[in-house]
Amino acid sequence: MDLTFDAVYYEPQALEYPLGKAMREKYRTLPWVEITSHNRIPELSAAENKAFAQLKRHLVLGVRKTHQYTENHKVSDWLVPYTSSGCRAMCLYCYLVCNYNKCAYLRLFVNREQMMEKLLKKDRAAPVPQTFEIGSNSDLVLENAVTDNLPWTIERFAREGRGRLTFPTKFEMVGPLLPLEHGGKTIFRMSVNPAEIVWQVELGTSPLEARIRALNEMAAAGYPVGLLVAPVILMPDWRRQYGELMDALAGGLSQQVKRTGFVEVILMTYSFVQDAINTEAFPGAAPIFDRALMTGRGRGKYCYRGQARAEAEHFLQEQIREKLNMPILYLA
Ligand code: SF4
């Protein structure tokens, strides 16, 4: 896992927080570039699309100022902006590119206490316990390898929260999470795709077998767990690929995961922005945008056409039922 950075762009007030100070020490040998706002770094946003991979090598430190929650009706009740946005990896379909364009590099927000206070307040005020998705803007397991934020988050919420936290990941580095006092209040979801897609499309993420191992370990440590088959990409031989994925899951997942876990299935959406960046930054990469199978759905976004979608959903439902026998929470 390449977690190296080549420069740190920082808001000066970030250095007043413990995490800002810790990052200053950890990356003291890198160039540090002062910025006025993590949202506005003109020299980076002016870079060409082909510089995307170089931009991903930068680390940005800031203070999160907007804390707006979005209602959600899947695993969680709320999508919560938390300790990071963007990511060091480079999945060719990454939804964050739609929001941040080329500037989808890892941004760390140092004011975690403030974010957790707000979350706990919302949790306490709700008539019934709520579930909070804290990983919709980044990959928190990857972020944790840089910041160590997750143990603090999970244990604090276990002590003071009523509902649950949840986050998905594509990374295997769960060792620091296994011994925590989590109280069953964090739902850990592992995102999976066929090994070939992981390798060709999910650049810089953990291999499939390592993800399966990590999910087994988290379930064995008592966390509620889920499996996220996402995003499903309909390559020309997608039936073979996803059939093999289900075989690998059937053989590799522990009985505990199969008995207690749930499955989410999400088909890929793609955007004009991603296509422009991928074409210029990764000219030799696997083509994941198939014009014959996808159709526009507004604002430069594409999704699979009705028939392709129906075939894929039917195939995956059957495979999951036959090979995993786990409940499907939803297909989207
Ligand atoms: S791991 Fe997640 S956040 Fe990171 S690049 Fe891939 S899709 Fe984006």
Side-chain angles (χ1 to χ4, degrees), residues 112-114 116-117 120 124 150-161 165 181 185:
R112 68 182 187 185
E113 282 82 5
Q114 202 184 351
M116 179 55 85
E117 290 298 340
L120 290 168
R124 281 192 289 266
L150 270 182
W152 178 86
T153 297
I154 290 171
E155 292 199 322
R156 172 112 192 246
F157 193 81
R159 284 193 305 275
E160 298 178 43
L165 300 178
E181 298 286 337
K185 291 185 184 173

Side-chain angles (χ1 to χ4, degrees), residues 35-82:
I35 53 175
T36 49
S37 166
H38 64 83
N39 273 327
R40 211 173 40 255
I41 311 179
E43 67 198 88
L44 303 187
S45 38
E48 293 182 51
N49 282 344
K50 66 177 184 222
F52 184 75
Q54 280 122 284
L55 293 175
K56 281 274 190 172
R57 294 178 58 79
H58 304 333
L59 177 64
V60 174
L61 280 189
V63 178
R64 195 188 270 290
K65 293 168 193 85
T66 47
H67 303 272
Q68 203 165 351
Y69 290 18
T70 308
E71 233 178 294
N72 192 35
H73 300 287
K74 288 184 176 151
V75 177
S76 62
D77 300 296
W78 301 98
L79 304 181
V80 175
Y82 200 52

Side-chain angles (χ1 to χ4, degrees), residues 167-218:
F167 56 87
T169 185
K170 294 183 171 70
F171 290 89
E172 67 190 276
M173 302 83 87
V174 296
L177 313 185
L178 301 178
L180 301 180
E181 298 286 337
H182 54 76
K185 291 185 184 173
T186 294
I187 308 169
F188 177 82
R189 287 143 57 226
M190 182 57 83
S191 172
V192 293
N193 244 326
E196 287 154 88
I197 289 184
V198 171
W199 184 66
Q200 296 175 339
V201 177
E202 298 181 341
L203 312 180
T205 63
S206 291
L208 175 62
E209 64 274 20
R211 296 190 205 177
I212 293 174
R213 203 165 46 240
L215 182 57
N216 289 342
E217 288 170 356
M218 288 295 277

